[in-house]
Amino acid sequence: MRKIINATYMTLDGDISNMGDWHFDYFGDEAMKAATDQLAGSDALIMGRKTYEGFAAAWPERAGTDDFADQMNAIKKYVVSSTLTDPSWTNTTVISGDVVAQVKEIKEEPGLNILQYGYGSVSQLLLDNGLLDELRIWLHPVLSGKAKPTELLYRDAKQSRFELIDTDAHSTGMIILSYAPVRN
């Protein structure tokens, strides 16, 4: 069965939204290699509508500029949405209705990992239903100091426990912490 891997960039104070202010100062060659390897180990993306809208506006503009952008544009994409009906980004399928059942079916299909960027309501739905297999926090050594409660990783949700399965420390101070949910 395929794995769903969530990759979330985060500051020390839990900011996952204001990346333009802090992310790129810590994204060096090591991070680019890790991001490229992570994407190469996946053959699908899953995301919510907000992430889709941001990505669909940005990645097609970068087509032909580098291999990473080309892979982002070519990869199979699943968007969980009850409002999006006609996605314009290449190779995109909308998932609506019984999302959990549809994602279970996708996980059972042959293929590589399914990658999700960022943490939001879709991530929580996957976690709550035993569909998220790995959470990778790309922890940046900076305090954002400006995130609103809705821009933090921390959510009003049931407690979830994780087991640390890997760490990858970079010379910029960023650390990728990989966790597997502990299933009860």
Side-chain angles (χ1 to χ4, degrees):
M1 182 177 291
R2 300 161 82 180
K3 287 175 39 176
I4 296 180
I5 298 173
N6 174 286
T8 296
Y9 299 156
M10 185 176 81
T11 63
L12 294 172
D13 55 350
D15 186 350
I16 60 171
S17 296
N18 300 292
M19 289 177 37
D21 294 337
W22 46 264
H23 169 66
F24 296 103
D25 292 339
Y26 302 97
F27 199 84
D29 292 340
E30 295 159 298
M32 189 64 218
K33 180 180 182 332
T36 300
D37 291 349
Q38 180 175 258
L39 185 60
S42 306
D43 63 3
L45 300 177
I46 188 167
M47 64 196 89
R49 182 189 48 81
K50 289 180 183 177
T51 300
Y52 169 80
E53 288 174 348
F55 280 16
W59 287 108
E61 296 294 319
R62 293 191 52 199
T65 61
D66 60 64
D67 291 340
F68 193 91
D70 291 343
Q71 178 62 17
M72 286 292 289
N73 286 309
I75 199 167
K76 177 73 178 163
K77 294 167 271 296
Y78 297 99
V79 181
V80 177
S81 177
S82 60
T83 57
L84 182 67
T85 56
D86 190 24
S88 59
W89 196 12
T90 305
N91 211 10
T92 299
T93 300
V94 175
I95 299 173
S96 61
D98 189 347
V99 173
V100 171
Q102 290 179 63
V103 172
K104 283 180 181 177
E105 288 178 15
I106 293 166
K107 282 187 72 169
E108 291 173 2
E109 294 172 358
L112 301 174
N113 295 328
I114 301 165
L115 185 57
Q116 181 191 33
Y117 291 106
Y119 198 95
S121 58
V122 173
S123 312
Q124 194 63 50
L125 178 72
L126 297 173
L127 180 61
D128 290 347
N129 288 278
L131 297 171
L132 183 67
D133 300 290
E134 188 174 334
L135 175 62
R136 292 181 184 163
I137 301 292
W138 293 53
L139 187 62
H140 295 64
V142 61
L143 296 171
S144 160
K146 66 185 271 182
K148 299 172 188 158
T150 57
E151 297 172 332
L152 297 171
L153 176 67
Y154 314 107
R155 308 289 165 144
D156 186 18
K158 70 179 185 180
Q159 184 182 73
S160 300
R161 295 181 181 261
F162 294 85
E163 172 188 3
L164 181 66
I165 57 174
D166 193 30
T167 59
D168 181 11
H170 296 188
S171 60
T172 62
M174 184 174 66
I175 303 171
I176 303 172
L177 302 164
S178 299
Y179 294 96
V182 174
R183 309 261 193 241
N184 295 337

